[in-house]
């Protein structure tokens, strides 16, 4: 009943005229969530320190990304297993660190970390810490909608992630849809940005594996609602593709991820090994320029027609001429 009253108040406000912006633009307020484009970062957490060139995807922290206008975040959750060394030369510190991590291995707040495949490569700490940073931004910016696209590397149950959402306080902002999954996988009635703001459910969370809304109603199964175009683009790229990649059934969904990032590829013993390209390579090839992004968008329009590309996703989004924000504004039909 309370949600219905809130929805009626929001609808009345729209009828009377919208004066406050939604994600920076008044024009976006009346649009359904699935008809809006958002600037997104790939492996959003993967930034310095340390300066591990082979695994970094961003130069700026999540906090800086938020301040710059990024509104969708790709996050990898990995089980933080104890390792034999913590990088110090003191054997006693090493042993103490190993036992401390082993002791906390079953504590969801300590075991769920943001890492790239393995926490040996890059470990940005417990998920709860980054969620707290984002929650603080949402507290201070009550008219901004945020999206998470979570890669469940370690196969967590959604109940393993729930404590991090609850402890950080960000769960109070999470959107739990009233609609149930349909066999068509599309055509859902998504709320408008204004409705999400009015109901204060401004965080939309997708997870690629093991999401179960009967366990945690706000962690949504990604492939029920989202498709993405190919992500394994190998340097150098002359033309980015835009065919549906995952899920592989070829059935459209309501939301589209436009992956616009590139890997370096080496082949060892017949096996391809892909690593992120560097910020310098991004700059040299102008991958993040508006010209490159616009060409990709035009390719996508030939495939998807006038459908909105919802998540324009980059590595090193800050490199170039601000193309990601300019393209998102073009897709949304608003002034930059």
């Amino acid at each position: 009943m309370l949600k219905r009253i809130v929805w009626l108040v929001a609808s009345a406000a729209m009828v009377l005229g919208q004066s406050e912006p939604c994600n920076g633009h008044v024009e976006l307020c009346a649009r359904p969530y699935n008809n809006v484009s958002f600037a997104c970062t790939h492996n959003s957490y993967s930034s310095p320190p340390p300066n591990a060139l082979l695994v970094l995807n961003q130069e700026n922290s999540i906090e800086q990304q938020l301040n710059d206008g990024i509104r969708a975040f790709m996050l990898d959750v990995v089980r933080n297993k104890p390792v034999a060394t913590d990088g110090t030369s003191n054997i006693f510190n090493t042993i103490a660190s190993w036992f401390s991590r082993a002791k906390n291995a079953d504590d969801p707040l300590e075991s769920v970390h943001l890492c790239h495949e393995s926490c040996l490569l890059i470990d940005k700490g417990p998920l709860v810490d980054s969620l707290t940073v984002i929650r603080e931004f949402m507290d201070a910016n009550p008219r901004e909608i945020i999206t998470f696209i979570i890669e469940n590397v370690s196969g967590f149950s959604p109940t393993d992630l729930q404590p991090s959402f609850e402890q950080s306080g960000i769960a109070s902002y999470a959107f739990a849809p009233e609609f149930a999954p349909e066999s068509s996988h599309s055509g859902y009635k998504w709320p408008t940005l204004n409705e999400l703001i009015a109901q204060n459910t401004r965080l939309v969370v997708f997870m690629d594996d093991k999401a179960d809304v009967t366990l945690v109603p706000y962690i949504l199964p990604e492939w029920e609602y989202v498709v993405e175009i190919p992500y394994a683009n190998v340097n150098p790229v002359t033309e980015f593709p835009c065919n549906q990649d995952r899920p592989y059934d070829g059935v459209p969904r309501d939301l589209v991820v436009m992956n616009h990032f590139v890997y370096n590829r080496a082949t060892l013993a017949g096996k391809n090994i892909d690593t992120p390209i560097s910020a310098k390579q991004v700059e040299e090839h102008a991958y993040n320029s508006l010209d490159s992004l616009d060409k990709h968008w035009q390719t996508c329009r030939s495939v998807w027609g006038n459908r909105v590309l919802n998540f324009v996703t980059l590595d090193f989004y800050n490199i170039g001429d601000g193309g990601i924000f300019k393209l998102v504004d073009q897709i949304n039909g608003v002034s930059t």
Side-chain angles (χ1 to χ4, degrees), residues 258-271:
M258 174 180 158
N259 290 316
H260 189 89
F261 49 85
V262 180
Y263 291 93
N264 290 317
R265 174 168 290 176
T267 302
L268 184 64
K271 183 178 180 180

Side-chain angles (χ1 to χ4, degrees), residues 170-243:
I170 206 168
S172 64
Y173 289 130
F175 168 70
E178 296 181 357
F179 48 73
E182 301 278 355
S183 58
S184 62
H185 304 300
S186 63
Y188 296 103
K189 185 172 175 54
W190 294 90
T192 66
L193 298 198
N194 214 29
E195 290 167 348
L196 290 171
I197 290 168
Q199 297 174 26
N200 213 17
T201 53
R202 297 180 288 115
L203 174 68
V204 183
V205 182
F206 300 104
M207 189 163 72
D208 68 335
D209 184 39
K210 291 187 166 35
D212 185 342
V213 294
T214 66
L215 297 176
V216 181
Y218 54 79
I219 298 181
L220 311 182
E222 179 182 359
W223 306 128
E224 177 60 37
Y225 305 110
V226 182
V227 299
E228 67 174 19
I229 66 176
Y231 64 90
N233 303 300
V234 179
N235 189 50
V237 175
T238 55
E239 182 176 349
F240 285 88
C242 208
N243 55 291

Side-chain angles (χ1 to χ4, degrees), residues 73-313:
F73 300 85
M74 290 187 171
L75 306 172
D76 293 4
V77 289
V78 178
R79 191 173 301 281
N80 181 36
K81 297 179 180 178
V83 294
T85 178
D86 64 355
T88 72
S89 58
N90 187 319
I91 186 63
F92 298 105
N93 287 344
T94 299
I95 293 171
S97 175
W98 193 95
F99 276 108
S100 174
R101 296 176 73 179
K103 177 182 177 183
N104 294 319
D106 294 327
D107 180 353
L109 291 176
E110 292 295 331
S111 64
V112 183
H113 276 222
L114 292 177
C115 304
H116 188 71
E117 297 296 333
S118 165
C119 292
L120 294 174
L121 294 174
I122 185 169
D123 184 352
K124 300 308 289 187
L127 171 64
V128 65
D129 292 348
S130 291
L131 295 188
T132 300
V133 169
I134 298 169
R135 191 267 301 158
E136 290 172 349
F137 175 87
M138 297 183 74
D139 289 347
N141 297 272
R143 299 196 64 81
E144 298 296 321
I145 284 83
I146 302 295
T147 301
F148 295 161
I149 301 174
I150 298 175
E151 182 176 350
N152 189 5
V153 177
S154 291
F156 291 109
S157 165
T159 57
D160 293 327
L161 274 59
Q162 188 176 19
S164 297
F165 279 81
E166 300 290 342
Q167 181 69 26
S168 67
I170 206 168
S172 64
Y173 289 130
F175 168 70
E178 296 181 357
F179 48 73
E182 301 278 355
S183 58
S184 62
H185 304 300
S186 63
Y188 296 103
K189 185 172 175 54
W190 294 90
T192 66
L193 298 198
N194 214 29
E195 290 167 348
L196 290 171
I197 290 168
Q199 297 174 26
N200 213 17
T201 53
R202 297 180 288 115
L203 174 68
V204 183
V205 182
F206 300 104
M207 189 163 72
D208 68 335
D209 184 39
K210 291 187 166 35
D212 185 342
V213 294
T214 66
L215 297 176
V216 181
Y218 54 79
I219 298 181
L220 311 182
E222 179 182 359
W223 306 128
E224 177 60 37
Y225 305 110
V226 182
V227 299
E228 67 174 19
I229 66 176
Y231 64 90
N233 303 300
V234 179
N235 189 50
V237 175
T238 55
E239 182 176 349
F240 285 88
C242 208
N243 55 291
Q244 179 172 326
D245 188 36
R246 297 184 295 180
Y248 303 116
D249 58 15
V251 178
R253 269 65 165 174
D254 281 351
L255 297 142
V256 181
V257 174
M258 174 180 158
N259 290 316
H260 189 89
F261 49 85
V262 180
Y263 291 93
N264 290 317
R265 174 168 290 176
T267 302
L268 184 64
K271 183 178 180 180
N272 292 330
I273 302 173
D274 292 346
T275 57
I277 67 172
S278 67
K280 182 178 181 181
Q281 288 177 294
V282 171
E283 186 171 20
E284 288 175 347
H285 292 277
Y287 286 134
N288 291 359
S289 67
L290 178 59
D291 181 63
S292 175
L293 285 158
D294 185 65
K295 287 178 180 176
H296 196 179
W297 181 35
Q298 298 307 322
T299 299
C300 290
R301 294 183 76 176
S302 69
V303 176
W304 296 94
N306 291 324
R307 283 198 57 178
V308 168
L309 301 177
N310 302 97
F311 306 108
V312 179
T313 308

